[in-house]
Amino acid sequence: EAAVSTTDGRLSLAGFPHPLTAVAGTARITRSGVEGQDIEAVFLGSPVQIELTSAGEASRDIAAIALAESRIGAQALVQEAGLPLAGDIAGETDYQATVRFPKAGLEDGPPVTIRVESRLDGMSVSLPEPVAKTAAESWPFSFEVAFPESGLLAITGFYGQTTKWTVEADREADGWHLSRGNIHLGPGLPSLPTGSGLYLSGSLERLRLGDWLDRATAGEAAPGGLIRAADLTVGDLYAFGQRARSVGLQLERNPSD
């Protein structure tokens, strides 16, 4: 058995832009794997509590699992993590993160994965329906990042009861950029599109189109500026001062925009 201790360490994953800093604690290396309790660190400006456990022989392809708990605010998500939602989210919320490390030497082993889960209590989202929520509401949220190969991120997750996504991002000289993705609303699951850009699909009970068109024309930094096309079924559509029922809505961004 061996032990590795640090009081002001730094830990990062290759390709992941946000490291753990001020890492303090002890990890023990045994025959069954790596273990560590009461490890402390800082992530995106907030303290994190980490527990490292060995998956042991019960797992065919996972060597170790890191469990972390912390709290994060809207300011850190926008300024530190680069989330393009300045002015659209506010407050703070608790979250839990799970990092799974695969066993070395496996020919078809799984990639490293990071899953973040939260109920988003205390955080408000002021985007239009159906994603708007108050700070008092509790909505399930899951965000998983996998590293299937060098220079590629595979991102999946869900928000609330109706919004799910699957996205791929490529690493370029100036950082990570979305290559293709699908946000799916309502029943069903998202699938990656064949073309580049972000696509919307699924169904909604109600949609106020003008609210989202305002976002789409607010500039590339706004969430709507990333959307390439949409294919939605809407129960009640409000657009241009009119109301229509049971509408199939198809939109495509002009390539010259």
Side-chain angles (χ1 to χ4, degrees):
E1 179 176 317
V4 178
S5 298
T6 180
T7 56
D8 189 20
R10 179 185 176 92
L11 180 63
S12 61
L13 290 173
F16 191 68
H18 307 294
L20 287 172
T21 59
V23 180
T26 300
R28 291 177 174 81
I29 305 173
T30 67
R31 290 184 178 180
S32 60
V34 181
E35 298 179 353
Q37 295 181 342
D38 299 324
I39 300 173
E40 299 178 348
V42 173
F43 181 69
L44 295 178
S46 296
V48 183
Q49 296 291 325
I50 303 171
E51 179 179 337
L52 184 62
T53 61
S54 172
E57 297 181 358
S59 176
R60 180 178 60 84
D61 47 21
I62 300 298
I65 301 172
L67 304 175
E69 293 185 353
S70 185
R71 186 171 179 83
I72 196 165
Q75 183 175 352
L77 287 172
V78 172
Q79 296 183 0
E80 301 293 334
L83 201 63
L85 294 174
D88 295 320
I89 57 174
E92 297 182 345
T93 192
D94 296 325
Y95 70 90
Q96 300 77 43
T98 304
V99 185
R100 297 181 182 273
F101 300 94
K103 291 182 178 179
L106 296 178
E107 183 176 350
D108 296 316
V112 175
T113 61
I114 304 172
R115 174 178 291 181
V116 177
E117 297 174 297
S118 175
R119 299 296 300 181
L120 299 179
D121 304 271
M123 183 166 286
S124 64
V125 179
S126 57
L127 289 168
E129 290 183 286
V131 298
K133 72 173 289 291
T134 67
E137 291 177 302
S138 179
W139 283 26
F141 171 83
S142 177
F143 184 91
E144 182 169 306
V145 180
F147 302 80
E149 60 184 69
S150 178
L152 176 66
L153 290 182
I155 304 168
T156 58
F158 60 85
Y159 168 74
Q161 301 297 331
T162 61
T163 306
K164 300 171 282 289
W165 59 82
T166 179
V167 173
E168 286 186 348
D170 296 324
R171 183 167 56 186
E172 301 178 6
D174 59 344
W176 292 95
H177 293 271
L178 183 146
S179 58
R180 58 176 180 157
N182 175 213
I183 297 177
H184 187 83
L185 305 170
L189 296 173
S191 59
L192 281 172
T194 56
S196 62
L198 186 61
Y199 291 74
L200 298 181
S201 63
S203 60
L204 290 170
E205 293 183 2
R206 179 175 57 251
L207 175 63
R208 300 185 184 277
L209 184 60
D211 294 344
W212 286 105
L213 289 179
D214 290 343
R215 299 279 173 170
T217 57
E220 199 65 29
L226 300 173
I227 298 173
R228 175 61 56 86
D231 187 356
L232 299 169
T233 300
V234 182
D236 287 304
L237 175 64
Y238 298 85
F240 311 111
Q242 304 294 319
R243 176 189 180 188
R245 294 184 176 181
S246 300
V247 176
L249 181 64
Q250 292 184 323
L251 301 173
E252 186 169 357
R253 193 180 186 89
N254 190 325
S256 64
D257 289 347

